[in-house]
Amino acid sequence: MSDEEHHFESSESGASKTYPQQAGNIRKGGHIVIKNRPCKVVEVSTSKTGKHGHAKCHFVAIDIFTAKKLEDIVPSSHNCDVPHVNRVDYQLIDITEDGFVSLLTDSGGTKDDLKLPTDDALTAQMRSGFDEGKDVVVSVMSSMGEEQICAVKEVGGGK
Amino acid sequence: MEDRVFSSVHSTVFKESESLEGKCDKIQGYDFNQGVNYPKLMRSMLTTGFQASNLGEAIDVVNQMLDWRLADETIVSEDCSAEEKDPSYRESVKCKIFLGFTSNLVSSGVRDTIRYLVQHHMVDVIVTTTGGVEEDLIKCLAPTFKGDFSLPGAYLRSKGLNRIGNLLVPNDNYCKFEDWIIPIFDEMLKEQKEENVLWTPSKLLARLGKEINNESSYLYWAYKMNIPVFCPGLTDGSLGDMLYFHSFRTSGLIIDVVQDIRAMNGEAVHATPRKTGMIILGGGLPKHHICNANMMRNGADYAVFINTGQEFDGSDSGARPDEAVSWGKIRGSAKTVKVYCDATIAFPLLVAETFATKRDQTCESKT
């Protein structure tokens, strides 16, 4: 492929961010794209074929980044887009003045383009662990071109 | 002594009666010794009694609706325009007829009677429920079948069959309807956004009539003849389900009911100098909506109700024309009839003796 010189971490050009799946096969706990947002399905109900036409699946889902509730109704035989959702763990190296984080990548470089998470509890946990000199590992969730820190854990004791 | 008691009892039991000769019609049924003559059989209904007589009177009232011309009225006010005084103009002004019906009748074969009336522009305004529209469109995509009232519900559900009385509509018919209508909604949404079209139920129905493009559909003929079809309860049916689902896929389609109530009431208010007549099959929304519009012009001049509703529960569906008079929906001077009968029997017979006969006569006189 022609994109060899790109870093392995950046988005794979040419590969799609979603894959199709029949609506009837998407279950609670799975993922679905609604209004172009990657979401996690919290409720599915199916209405059988009837006066309203073809059998339909009613999805209630939560945007994985903004936590907003979204819903959609799709004929069960139609294909929906399911987002690829990846989680990668990184070690926290630094928290900058303007709210960005510096993370250690697998290959030894740094990833500096992520902001602190909007979740205050996570941010507080990161800051306290970092300030105490502990090894803090963050999980970064990425999907459809968007990334966010979704979890924090402390590994090992302080220095 | 016994004689006196006897004659007193006798005069109590055999009370002398007032003569009705010359005041009331005699009851006389059809004599089949004349052979099977349907027009004569129909005309005999008027003197057969009970609902046959009511149907006979309804036929009379509808014929009066069809025969009335402004020329029949004496010129009342001096501030009539010159045009309004012109005899040939007055000959041309006819009664405006509102036709209302419920959806079960469109599921039945009465749909074809309605289509005939619309095809030949014999009615001016139509009001119906959502089912009254979609059943007509669906019949162009797939047929409705004759079943039985007694077919068990759970069994039918397992077979994907929906029961309407003793008719059956397969689920698949509604799937075909969905496949047909969703792309049309997409188009309409596009036109709303790009061409600033503001859709109303009647505009939507005209568009659907255009799209179905099928001569068996009354909606198609309503589009061709420019007869407005009002359906203020547009969301209450399969069509409403389609709007609901469409709003998830591609949201934003707006349907304005306010414009339509202006148009509907306008049909009544601006009818003058025409008289207005209402032919209403069934009860519910179509019955009230038409009567209410006519209230805006101080009442309709003719009213024929064909329904099986009863008034004891105070429902509007079961209310007689006289109740509508108390509201100003029908004029005190109006000619009205209520036929207590299933419209699948009464309406085709009524049309045979009114609209269809007059059309045949007009066609014959032209040839």
Side-chain angles (χ1 to χ4, degrees):
Chain A
M1 287 215 197
S2 55
D3 301 323
E4 238 85 51
E5 62 270 23
H6 282 194
H7 287 290
F8 201 73
E9 292 97 18
S10 59
S11 56
E12 321 84 77
S13 348
S16 71
K17 303 191 170 75
T18 66
Y19 63 92
Q21 194 178 10
Q22 213 181 51
N25 290 333
I26 300 176
R27 303 267 172 267
K28 186 165 159 177
H31 289 97
I32 192 174
V33 177
I34 297 179
K35 297 253 177 304
N36 242 348
R37 300 294 310 159
C39 302
K40 183 162 178 172
V41 178
V42 295
E43 224 177 279
V44 187
S45 59
T46 312
S47 56
K48 298 185 193 171
T49 306
K51 191 171 179 186
H52 57 74
H54 300 281
K56 304 221 169 27
C57 296
H58 182 193
F59 296 105
V60 181
I62 310 271
D63 185 315
I64 58 179
F65 293 118
T66 67
K68 263 179 73 178
K69 193 162 95 160
L70 294 169
E71 55 172 350
D72 201 7
I73 299 188
V74 184
S76 50
S77 54
H78 278 208
N79 279 341
C80 289
D81 286 328
V82 178
H84 287 286
V85 181
N86 290 312
R87 278 173 77 124
V88 184
D89 285 350
Y90 300 94
Q91 186 156 2
L92 179 63
I93 303 173
D94 192 23
I95 302 176
T96 66
E97 288 288 311
D98 52 355
F100 278 85
V101 295
S102 193
L103 307 173
L104 182 67
T105 66
D106 264 353
S107 52
T110 62
K111 182 178 165 65
D112 307 297
D113 54 355
L114 264 180
K115 289 195 86 162
L116 283 168
T118 46
D119 184 321
D120 292 333
L122 277 179
T123 305
Q125 198 182 350
M126 281 169 66
R127 279 200 190 279
S128 70
F130 183 71
D131 289 342
E132 286 164 25
K134 295 190 180 146
D135 279 344
V136 179
V137 171
V138 298
S139 289
V140 177
M141 180 171 59
S142 70
S143 180
M144 293 175 67
E146 228 175 292
E147 289 182 307
Q148 205 182 82
I149 295 171
C150 61
V152 175
K153 28 183 210 279
E154 288 161 24
V155 180
K159 294 197 177 104
Chain B
M1 182 36 183
E2 266 194 26
D3 257 339
R4 206 156 44 86
V5 171
F6 179 78
S7 75
S8 136
V9 169
H10 187 271
S11 65
T12 309
V13 173
F14 293 98
K15 184 157 177 58
E16 262 200 46
S17 58
E18 185 185 297
S19 169
L20 294 176
E21 204 77 43
K23 293 182 199 168
C24 298
D25 291 329
K26 289 193 198 132
I27 289 300
Q28 176 86 56
Y30 181 72
D31 182 0
F32 281 96
N33 282 327
Q34 325 175 41
V36 183
N37 182 320
Y38 288 101
K40 281 193 179 163
L41 174 61
M42 286 303 304
R43 283 196 285 279
S44 75
M45 292 225 166
L46 196 56
T47 53
T48 301
F50 308 142
Q51 294 314 306
S53 287
N54 282 5
L55 181 57
E57 282 178 30
I59 289 169
D60 266 348
V61 172
V62 174
N63 277 328
Q64 285 181 51
M65 268 190 231
L66 295 172
D67 289 338
W68 180 85
R69 298 288 181 275
L70 186 59
D72 298 346
E73 309 294 311
T74 48
I75 299 175
V76 176
S77 58
E78 284 312 310
D79 44 35
C80 253
S81 70
E83 184 211 28
E84 280 175 26
K85 290 184 186 163
D86 173 18
S88 62
Y89 167 76
R90 293 177 80 79
E91 268 303 319
S92 72
V93 174
K94 299 196 246 183
C95 179
K96 184 174 217 178
I97 298 181
F98 290 79
L99 176 66
F101 46 85
T102 48
S103 82
N104 54 339
L105 295 171
V106 180
S107 303
S108 79
V110 171
R111 175 237 196 184
D112 302 302
T113 309
I114 293 168
R115 188 263 309 143
Y116 170 82
L117 294 177
V118 181
Q119 179 178 10
H120 300 293
H121 210 325
M122 292 161 160
V123 296
D124 300 288
V125 181
I126 292 177
V127 180
T128 185
T129 54
T130 311
V133 164
E134 67 209 18
E135 293 290 309
D136 176 65
L137 296 168
I138 290 172
K139 278 187 178 178
C140 299
L141 307 172
T144 301
F145 293 92
K146 180 167 162 294
D148 196 278
F149 282 104
S150 60
L151 292 170
Y155 166 76
L156 291 174
R157 182 74 177 143
S158 70
K159 297 286 177 202
L161 298 171
N162 302 294
R163 179 169 75 85
I164 302 172
N166 56 0
L167 311 178
L168 295 172
V169 188
N171 276 340
D172 199 50
N173 292 22
Y174 293 101
C175 292
K176 291 195 170 90
F177 182 58
E178 180 181 3
D179 295 337
W180 175 79
I181 205 171
I182 294 288
I184 298 175
F185 285 160
D186 287 337
E187 270 297 307
M188 286 172 52
L189 178 59
K190 194 157 154 248
E191 287 165 33
Q192 178 188 300
K193 293 194 165 149
E194 293 173 9
E195 296 163 40
N196 278 328
V197 177
L198 185 53
W199 294 99
T200 70
S202 61
K203 283 188 194 168
L204 189 159
L205 296 179
R207 174 57 167 269
L208 295 180
K210 178 181 178 193
E211 297 282 345
I212 198 72
N213 197 25
N214 185 316
E215 292 198 351
S216 72
S217 153
Y218 80 79
L219 213 54
Y220 165 73
W221 286 108
Y223 156 73
K224 288 214 75 171
M225 294 291 137
N226 241 325
I227 296 172
V229 180
F230 292 103
C231 182
L234 190 69
T235 53
D236 189 33
S238 182
L239 209 155
D241 298 343
M242 301 307 157
L243 287 168
Y244 169 67
F245 294 130
H246 182 257
S247 73
F248 282 93
R249 285 175 21 126
T250 22
S251 65
L253 184 61
I254 293 173
I255 298 185
D256 179 20
V257 293
V258 176
Q259 247 188 78
D260 257 13
I261 191 63
R262 285 289 298 265
M264 173 69 188
N265 288 353
E267 290 285 345
V269 167
H270 301 302
T272 311
R274 299 172 79 174
K275 281 196 172 181
T276 63
M278 318 189 288
I279 301 176
I280 305 177
L281 314 176
L285 186 147
K287 177 173 186 281
H288 183 269
H289 205 60
I290 291 177
C291 289
N292 202 68
N294 276 275
M295 184 180 68
M296 302 293 169
R297 63 165 326 248
N298 292 319
D301 300 285
Y302 303 98
V304 170
F305 294 170
I306 302 179
N307 67 61
T308 54
Q310 299 297 314
E311 66 173 351
F312 67 86
D313 60 359
S315 63
D316 184 80
S317 293
R320 287 180 287 116
D322 194 51
E323 182 171 316
V325 174
S326 80
W327 287 82
K329 293 171 179 166
I330 297 179
R331 286 177 193 210
S333 57
K335 305 276 187 291
T336 68
V337 184
K338 175 176 171 180
V339 186
Y340 293 73
C341 185
D342 173 1
T344 57
I345 298 176
F347 195 56
L349 295 177
L350 180 134
V351 170
E353 286 291 295
T354 54
F355 295 95
T357 303
K358 287 196 188 294
R359 178 159 188 273
D360 283 356
Q361 285 167 356
T362 322
C363 286
E364 269 171 33
S365 64
K366 281 183 185 162
T367 52

